[in-house]
Amino acid sequence: MSFMNYYDILGCTKESTYEDIKRAYRALALKYHPDKNSLNFDGTEFQYILKAWHVLRDPILRAEYDVIQEQQVLDTESILIYAKVSADELEVMGNDENTLNYRCRCGGFYSLPREYIQKKNQSIHVPCLECTLLIVVET
């Protein structure tokens, strides 16, 4: 199944605000509306723009879309990723303050030295100590 990226269609990002999305939609609607450009466009592009606007303008539909989009990204990766977690979700277990852990569904742990999460805006792949799954820690 192909997956259309509504953010790309409108020229926005996941971090775009409602106002950004609205502004992008209006600009594209004027450019691609069939009544304005009947000779140059068949209306297909406009239908994509309408669908993207319909989903991204509604906070509930947008949240659902973001979850589906995230899963699509995970499914296309060739590794088995259990979850994407933030550094804040890791916890200290036992007496070792320098090692952060996250529990795997198999009962094992993902362990990461605290020093690895000091740098911001990075993604770290951490394997489970018991199975073949990974987590992606975002700092």
Side-chain angles (χ1 to χ4, degrees), residues 31-34 36-46:
K31 181 177 179 180
Y32 289 100
H33 195 282
K36 302 262 184 199
N37 300 296
S38 59
L39 298 176
N40 299 332
F41 303 106
D42 65 357
T44 305
E45 187 75 23
F46 185 68

Side-chain angles (χ1 to χ4, degrees), residues 38-116:
S38 59
L39 298 176
N40 299 332
F41 303 106
D42 65 357
T44 305
E45 187 75 23
F46 185 68
Q47 292 301 315
Y48 293 146
I49 293 165
L50 281 176
K51 180 64 176 168
W53 169 242
H54 173 74
V55 171
L56 297 181
R57 73 179 179 191
D58 184 294
I60 295 170
L61 292 177
R62 184 176 178 182
E64 290 172 2
Y65 172 76
D66 288 344
V67 169
I68 292 168
Q69 187 182 36
E70 176 97 8
Q71 187 60 49
Q72 287 283 334
V73 170
L74 291 175
D75 289 346
T76 61
E77 295 182 10
S78 61
I79 52 177
L80 297 173
I81 296 179
Y82 172 54
K84 284 190 177 182
V85 298
S86 71
D88 297 335
E89 295 178 71
L90 302 174
E91 58 189 11
V92 174
M93 294 183 179
N95 296 330
D96 188 2
E97 294 287 325
N98 294 320
T99 303
L100 300 171
N101 298 287
Y102 188 82
R103 185 173 290 280
C104 182
R105 69 179 180 201
C106 75
F109 290 96
Y110 302 93
S111 293
L112 181 68
R114 186 181 294 273
E115 65 192 53
Y116 287 17

